[in-house]
Amino acid sequence: MSYGTAVHKTAEAIYAYLKTNGTAPTLQNVQIMFGEKLEKEKMDKQDFINYLEKGNNVWKVYFETAKNRLDPSHWIETDFKLQQVMVDKVQITGKIDKIIPNEQEKFLEVYDFKTGKYQRDWNGKDVYKKIQLHNYKRQLVFYKLLIEGSRDYSKYRVNKGYLEFLSPTTENEILLLPYEITAEDVERLKKIIIAVHSKIQNLDFPDVSKYEKSLDGLLAFENDLINGSI
């Protein structure tokens, strides 16, 4: 978690430098930034050494293969805590790692940085990955709710989201995993948010032991929440 925090803060610092200076920092500057961010996490000395090496390699590969993705027009770490976003009577908030605006067509593309192992598709090779990717997908849909329900950004539409994996592949690629957000995704998530909020308000925490520890089990639980059968 500390490593992920340091990577996210470094990405924020890269964009701050880019917006201030009109050009991206050098790889050496970025690695220095990362080291400073990681040092603030106060981790074990050996963990610090290991994660410093890992992060320095990530930024090296990024600057060799994906530096052209950096643009001062991008919005970084956009915070929605003051945007008064409501789903029915439920207020939601959060931060979006990166947003790429299309001002002409009033579209936004949302990006979520991931420091874990990269994924080439949304299928998942095992039970854990299938559930993880389902949750990642839901996160991108949540970003659409934040933007389109916000006070300042509701003039934009969000149809596409990406996971940006800040962990190089064996071929030294920094992968993007795109997802087209559907109207069905949005309506389903709204219903889940309303159902979960009601459960919390009523201190009604259902027993989930009957559900399989699988994606099918998770989907069954979500469905039961939505239709009020649990």
Side-chain angles (χ1 to χ4, degrees):
M1 189 179 293
S2 293
Y3 170 74
T5 298
V7 169
H8 276 72
K9 289 186 175 181
T10 302
E12 191 173 4
I14 290 170
Y15 272 94
Y17 185 102
L18 178 61
K19 290 175 186 291
T20 300
N21 297 283
T23 185
T26 64
L27 172 60
Q28 183 180 13
N29 284 342
V30 170
Q31 289 175 332
I32 291 171
M33 290 175 187
F34 173 69
E36 292 171 347
K37 306 299 183 189
L38 191 67
E39 194 168 13
K40 290 180 180 178
E41 294 301 310
K42 307 295 183 185
M43 59 177 60
D44 175 83
K45 183 177 180 180
Q46 189 57 51
D47 285 340
F48 175 81
I49 292 171
N50 293 341
Y51 282 112
L52 181 64
E53 181 180 358
K54 179 179 179 178
N56 281 341
N57 181 62
V58 165
W59 292 117
K60 179 176 183 292
V61 173
Y62 190 97
F63 267 64
E64 288 174 350
T65 64
K67 187 178 179 181
N68 63 337
R69 293 182 196 164
L70 300 173
D71 191 282
S73 68
H74 298 170
W75 308 350
I76 298 298
E77 294 294 332
T78 305
D79 195 338
F80 286 76
K81 67 181 178 181
L82 301 179
Q83 289 298 318
Q84 302 169 329
V85 185
M86 303 296 292
V87 175
D88 193 41
K89 297 179 181 179
V90 186
Q91 185 167 6
I92 61 173
T93 188
K95 277 187 177 183
I96 300 179
D97 290 342
K98 180 169 78 174
I99 300 171
I100 296 184
N102 181 330
E103 293 292 352
Q104 185 174 354
E105 298 184 21
K106 296 303 177 187
F107 282 113
L108 301 178
E109 292 182 337
V110 293
Y111 286 70
D112 195 46
F113 297 139
K114 296 299 180 189
T115 55
K117 184 172 175 56
Y118 60 87
Q119 300 295 312
R120 296 186 183 274
D121 57 49
W122 290 99
N123 298 324
K125 293 182 179 179
D126 55 37
V127 170
Y128 173 78
K129 282 298 177 186
K130 288 179 186 297
I131 292 174
Q132 184 183 61
L133 287 167
H134 175 73
N135 291 334
Y136 287 169
K137 191 182 295 182
R138 190 196 304 119
Q139 193 168 8
L140 295 177
V141 180
F142 186 81
Y143 289 166
K144 177 179 172 73
L145 289 181
L146 283 178
I147 288 170
E148 295 186 3
S150 67
R151 183 189 61 208
D152 294 335
Y153 311 112
S154 58
K155 63 185 176 182
Y156 296 99
R157 288 294 169 263
V158 178
N159 296 325
K160 198 168 188 178
Y162 295 84
L163 301 183
E164 185 164 6
F165 290 99
L166 299 180
S167 53
T169 68
T170 52
E171 298 83 16
N172 278 344
E173 302 170 291
I174 300 292
L175 291 183
L176 293 174
L177 183 57
Y179 182 68
E180 296 282 348
I181 302 170
T182 67
E184 291 77 13
D185 290 330
V186 172
E187 289 309 307
R188 180 178 179 84
L189 183 53
K190 285 181 178 179
K191 291 175 182 177
I192 291 172
I193 289 170
I194 292 167
V196 169
H197 179 261
S198 176
K199 292 290 185 187
I200 294 171
Q201 288 285 299
N202 295 315
L203 300 180
D204 177 11
F205 306 118
D207 180 9
V208 297
S209 60
K210 69 177 182 179
Y211 298 99
E212 292 181 4
K213 293 180 173 61
S214 65
L215 179 57
D216 286 342
L218 175 56
L219 291 173
F221 174 57
E222 289 181 357
N223 290 337
D224 286 348
L225 279 173
I226 289 170
N227 62 37
S229 61
I230 186 173

